[in-house]
Amino acid sequence: MREKEFLPLVSERLGIGELNPMQRKMMATASESRDIMLLSPTGSGKTLAFILPMLKILRPSSVRVQAVVIAPSRELVLQIGGIVGRIAPGFKTTVLYGGHKVEDEVNSLRAGTDIVVATPGRLLDHINRRNIDVLPTRLLVLDEFDKSLELGFEKEMKKIRGRLRNVSRTILTSATRADVLPDFLELADPVTIDFLGDNRELRSRTRVHRVDSDANDKLDTLASLLLDLAADTGGHERSIVFVNHRESAERTAEYLRRRHIPAVLYHGALDQRDREKAVAMFNNGSRPVLVATDLAARGLDIEGVRNVIHYHQPLTAETYTHRNGRTARVNAEGDIFVLVGPREDVKDYIEFDDTRWPDPQKESHYAPRFETVYFSAGRREKLSRGDILGFLVKEGGADGKDIGRIDVFDHYALAAVDSRVARITVDAVKGRKIKGEKRIVSIIG
C-alpha cells in the first residue's frame, strides 16, 4: 500500500495532522528491508509507528494472510485492529482473542484475511485447529514483546514463530531494553530505534503531587482528592486510580460509587464485555473515574486522561513509568498523585514536586456531561455508528450535538448522550425499530 493512499486517512480518520519523529523514523526505516526493534515508552504513538510501516510493506490485498500482529492483551488487540481497519480499508483485518465468540472468528477466517491481530494463545489455538493458514505470512509484528514475556507467553510465541516459515520481516516493540532476546525470534541484522529517552520529556509535562492520608485505609483521602479535583470542572476531566490487587479495585470502586463519584471498574478477572464497557464509558465521559489494576497501565485505547492517582504505590519503577504514561500523552500536560499512608515509606523512584492537601469539607460533586445508552445489537447485526446517530436524532428527537462518542462492538453498542436529554431520548425510542428490528435500548445505570 502506498503512503499517499493511507497517510491522508490518518489525518481524516484519526485526526492526526502530522507524524511524530518516532513514526517518521519508523516509516523511513521500513524502506531498508531490515528487521526493526522499536523501544518506546507508553503513550508515545507506538501503535501507529508500527502500523504505518506494515501497510507500506504489504502487497495489495489477496485475502491470504500477509501480516500477523501479536499483542499480549485483548484490549491491545482490539485497539490495533480498530486503527488498521480505519486507515487501511483495502485490507481485510481479523482480530482473535479470548473471551470472543470462536464461531465469529472462524467465519471471518474462512472468508479470508490479509492481516491477523491476535493474542498468542488464541492464535496458536486457531493454528492448531487449522482454522487459519499462516504459511503465506511475510511480516510478523510482536507488539509489547516485553509484556508478553512478563505474562508468560514465550512458549506460545515460540510455537507460532515455528509455523511462520516464510516471514521475511519482523518488527518488535518494547517499552524496556532487554539484554538478551530469545533465539526463536530469528532477527536478521535488526536496526534498533530507541525513543525511551522520551520518558524524560514526559516528566517535564507532568507534576507529581504527594497526598498524605491520616489513616492506613486511604479511601476517604481518595474520595476527598477526587471531589477536590472535580470542584472546578464538574468532574469532566478523566482520572485513573491505580491499585495493586483486584480485590482492592473492587472495594475502591464500590466505595467511590457510594460517595456518588461515577467510577467504573477494570481488572483482568472481569469478562470481556464488562471490560469493554468500562473502557467505553470512561472514554465517552459518562464515568470519568476508572479504578484499575496495572492491566490498564499499558495497551488500552484510553484518551484524554488528566490525572493518574496511585492509591497503592507501584511495586517497580517500570510499573510507575507505565502508569504515569496514561496521562500527558501527545504533548498534553497531566497531574500525578501518590497517596501515602501514615506508616508508609515512599519508593525511591518517586520524586515529588509538591504536597497536595485536599479539603474534605469542600462542597463539590461530579456532574458527567453524558449518560451511556446501550443497544442490544452491534456490527455483526450490521449496525453502524451512523445508524445509531440517525436513530437517536430521527426517532429520539435528540440534537446531533447532544450525541457523543459511539462504540460499536460485535453484538452490542454504546452511545454517549447528553445527560440533560438522555432519559427523554431513550423513552422516545422505546418500541421503535432500528434497521428494521426492535432492539433493547436502555441507559446503563
Side-chain angles (χ1 to χ4, degrees), residues 2 6 53 66 113 130 188 194 219 231 273 333 354 361 414 442:
R2 297 178 180 177
F6 58 80
Q66 297 191 58
T113 190
R130 299 186 179 180
D194 190 344
L219 288 176
R273 179 170 288 204
E333 294 185 349
D354 58 36
Q361 307 303 322
L414 303 175
S442 61

Side-chain angles (χ1 to χ4, degrees), residues 238 278-285 287 301-303 405 407:
R238 298 184 183 94
V279 173
M281 289 191 290
F282 183 66
N283 273 335
N284 71 24
R287 299 291 187 276
D301 186 13
I302 290 175
E303 305 165 358
R405 178 177 173 132
D407 292 282

Side-chain angles (χ1 to χ4, degrees), residues 65 67-71 77 94-98 102 105 109 113 115-135 137 139-142 153 156-164 167:
V65 181
V68 168
V69 182
I70 298 176
V77 164
T94 301
V95 294
L96 311 172
Y97 56 91
V102 175
E105 295 180 352
L109 291 171
T113 190
I115 303 166
V116 171
V117 186
T119 52
R122 193 58 162 243
L123 176 57
L124 183 59
D125 185 58
H126 280 293
I127 292 173
N128 289 337
R129 294 173 184 270
R130 299 186 179 180
N131 295 329
I132 181 174
D133 178 14
V134 294
L135 199 57
T137 305
L139 173 66
L140 172 64
V141 178
L142 298 172
F153 289 130
E156 287 89 345
M157 289 190 293
K158 182 176 182 179
K159 289 180 179 178
I160 293 168
R161 184 63 185 87
R163 301 290 188 94
L164 301 175
V167 166

Side-chain angles (χ1 to χ4, degrees), residues 72 142-151 172-178 298 318 322:
L142 298 172
D143 189 26
E144 297 205 355
F145 180 70
D146 56 334
K147 185 68 174 177
S148 293
L149 292 180
E150 179 186 323
L151 293 174
L172 181 151
T173 82
S174 177
T176 58
R177 293 184 181 87
R298 296 169 66 178
E318 178 185 347
H322 291 317

Side-chain angles (χ1 to χ4, degrees), residues 59-276:
R59 296 168 180 163
S61 174
S62 62
V63 291
R64 299 182 70 200
V65 181
Q66 297 191 58
V68 168
V69 182
I70 298 176
S73 70
R74 309 168 186 175
E75 289 76 16
L76 192 51
V77 164
L78 287 166
Q79 176 187 335
I80 296 166
I83 294 175
V84 174
R86 291 166 72 183
I87 65 174
F91 292 98
K92 170 75 181 299
T93 302
T94 301
V95 294
L96 311 172
Y97 56 91
H100 192 213
K101 283 190 175 181
V102 175
E103 307 83 54
D104 288 345
E105 295 180 352
V106 171
N107 291 336
S108 184
L109 291 171
R110 282 176 180 165
T113 190
D114 299 289
I115 303 166
V116 171
V117 186
T119 52
R122 193 58 162 243
L123 176 57
L124 183 59
D125 185 58
H126 280 293
I127 292 173
N128 289 337
R129 294 173 184 270
R130 299 186 179 180
N131 295 329
I132 181 174
D133 178 14
V134 294
L135 199 57
T137 305
R138 299 169 46 246
L139 173 66
L140 172 64
V141 178
L142 298 172
D143 189 26
E144 297 205 355
F145 180 70
D146 56 334
K147 185 68 174 177
S148 293
L149 292 180
E150 179 186 323
L151 293 174
F153 289 130
E154 181 170 354
K155 183 166 67 173
E156 287 89 345
M157 289 190 293
K158 182 176 182 179
K159 289 180 179 178
I160 293 168
R161 184 63 185 87
R163 301 290 188 94
L164 301 175
R165 297 173 191 145
N166 292 311
V167 166
S168 57
R169 298 287 296 278
T170 299
I171 298 175
L172 181 151
T173 82
S174 177
T176 58
R177 293 184 181 87
D179 295 330
V180 179
L181 292 173
D183 292 337
F184 72 81
L185 291 176
E186 300 180 20
L187 298 182
D189 188 27
V191 56
T192 298
I193 298 177
D194 190 344
F195 276 80
L196 289 178
D198 282 6
N199 277 325
R200 292 188 295 273
E201 196 270 334
L202 171 65
R203 179 65 179 92
S204 71
R205 291 185 282 108
T206 59
R207 290 191 65 79
V208 182
H209 313 274
R210 175 175 178 141
V211 182
D212 287 306
S213 173
D214 293 333
N216 291 324
D217 187 334
K218 298 175 280 191
L219 288 176
D220 286 342
T221 304
L222 173 63
S224 295
L225 174 62
L226 287 168
L227 291 169
D228 202 36
L229 294 173
D232 298 326
T233 68
H236 295 160
E237 290 184 340
R238 298 184 183 94
S239 302
I240 301 182
V241 179
F242 280 107
V243 299
N244 289 344
H245 311 288
R246 295 172 182 173
E247 297 78 7
S248 300
E250 292 171 354
R251 177 171 171 266
T252 302
E254 179 57 33
Y255 173 84
L256 294 179
R257 291 178 192 132
R258 290 200 305 270
R259 292 288 302 269
H260 305 291
I261 296 172
V264 69
L265 175 67
Y266 185 90
H267 61 64
L270 298 174
D271 67 33
Q272 180 63 23
R273 179 170 288 204
D274 286 340
R275 287 159 68 174
E276 289 173 348

